[in-house]
């Protein structure tokens, strides 16, 4: 069904693997559209509670947008490429089910942007991050200038964006770009462990937390007001009844999907 990714559902977790290992999982346009589709499908699937996004092999998560594909693009095509890419990243960021990037190697350019659109990033010890677009005569086009500032602050983000420096996993963790650094063999198990923990919580509340966090960063939205709305709405949900009833009756909550 997909040509450039693998999408595998197991024990409630959908693992999406970018499957262009010989091209260091470079993100051509079709690959990005397939990732978007797989995230939409995982969100629609009641059996799925979380999503992991990773790259095939042990060298790259994704070494950027596919340079060979866009090398002859016009400005108009470039604009469309960027707008469509933004939509892919926004689809991931707005997923009501948590998405973790398991960064298993190079996350450069579009690869770094893709990882930054996920709700959390875990990295293997060999992972490398950077936005090298200025080497190609381009600024980042998949919201790298925006999400890097959000994650690590203006000073460090500006330095990385202007120098095209590539940083290792531990430095990325120091900056706040990744949450944890792990031996590569522990990367997917740890992502699954985090998602399984979240899966015991109220799915409605989890989706609301994601929505409130995103509102903080969305032009024209007020995160504080969003929180008031989402908090109020939660009182009318079955998850609220189940969560509070379980607490008062000293039992474990059992939330429905
Ligand atoms: N787009 C298209 N193809 C890419 C790619 C990209 N972003 N990144 C890697 N590839 C391809 C290479 O062209 C090569 O293909 P080939 O074997 O058909 O020639 C293959 O992947 C392996 O890459 P290679 O450069 O030989 O590996 P390396 O270990 O020597 O170097 C990198 C690894 C990541 C340092 C290097 O590939 C690189 O700099 N990639 C581009 C990074 C970048 O600028 N990304 C931002 C794009 S907007």
């Amino acid at each position: 069904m997909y040509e450039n990714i693998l999408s595998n559902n197991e024990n409630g977790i959908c693992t999406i693997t970018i499957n262009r290992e010989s091209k260091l999982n470079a993100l051509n346009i079709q690959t990005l559209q397939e990732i978007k589709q797989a995230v939409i499908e995982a969100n629609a699937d009641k059996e799925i509670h979380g999503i992991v996004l990773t790259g095939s092999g042990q060298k790259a998560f994704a070494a950027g947008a596919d340079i060979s594909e866009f090398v002859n693009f016009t400005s108009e095509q470039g604009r469309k490429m960027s707008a469509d890419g933004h939509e892919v990243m926004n689809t991931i960021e707005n997923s009501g089910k948590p998405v973790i990037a398991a960064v298993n190697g190079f996350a450069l350019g579009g690869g770094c942007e893709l990882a930054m659109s996920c709700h959390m990033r875990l990295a293997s010890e060999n992972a490398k991050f950077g936005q090298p677009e200025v080497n190609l005569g381009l600024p980042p086009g998949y919201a790298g200038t925006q999400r890097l500032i959000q994650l690590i602050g203006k000073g460090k983000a500006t330095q990385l964006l202007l120098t095209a420096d590539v940083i290792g996993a531990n430095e990325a963790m120091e900056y706040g770009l990744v949450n944890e650094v792990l031996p590569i063999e522990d990367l997917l198990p740890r992502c699954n462990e985090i998602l399984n923990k979240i899966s015991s919580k109220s799915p409605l509340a989890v989706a609301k937390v994601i929505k409130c966090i995103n509102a903080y960063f969305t032009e024209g939205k007020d995160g504080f007001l969003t929180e008031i709305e989402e908090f109020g709405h939660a009182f009318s949900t079955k998850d609220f009844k189940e969560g509070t009833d379980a607490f008062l009756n000293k039992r474990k909550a059992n939330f429905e999907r």
Side-chain angles (χ1 to χ4, degrees), residues 113-147:
E113 290 165 310
L114 184 65
M116 290 194 292
S117 73
C118 297
H119 301 127
M120 288 167 259
R121 281 147 297 286
L122 269 56
S124 57
E125 290 158 334
N126 63 318
K128 292 200 170 11
F129 296 81
Q131 296 287 160
E133 286 89 341
V134 290
N135 289 331
L136 300 169
L138 292 169
Y142 293 156
T145 58
Q146 306 303 296
R147 289 199 177 91

Side-chain angles (χ1 to χ4, degrees), residues 4 26 45 52 62 70 74 78 100 130 149 183 201 232 243:
N4 301 307
D45 187 339
V52 175
F70 67 67
T74 62
I100 303 184
I149 292 173
K201 316 300 177 196

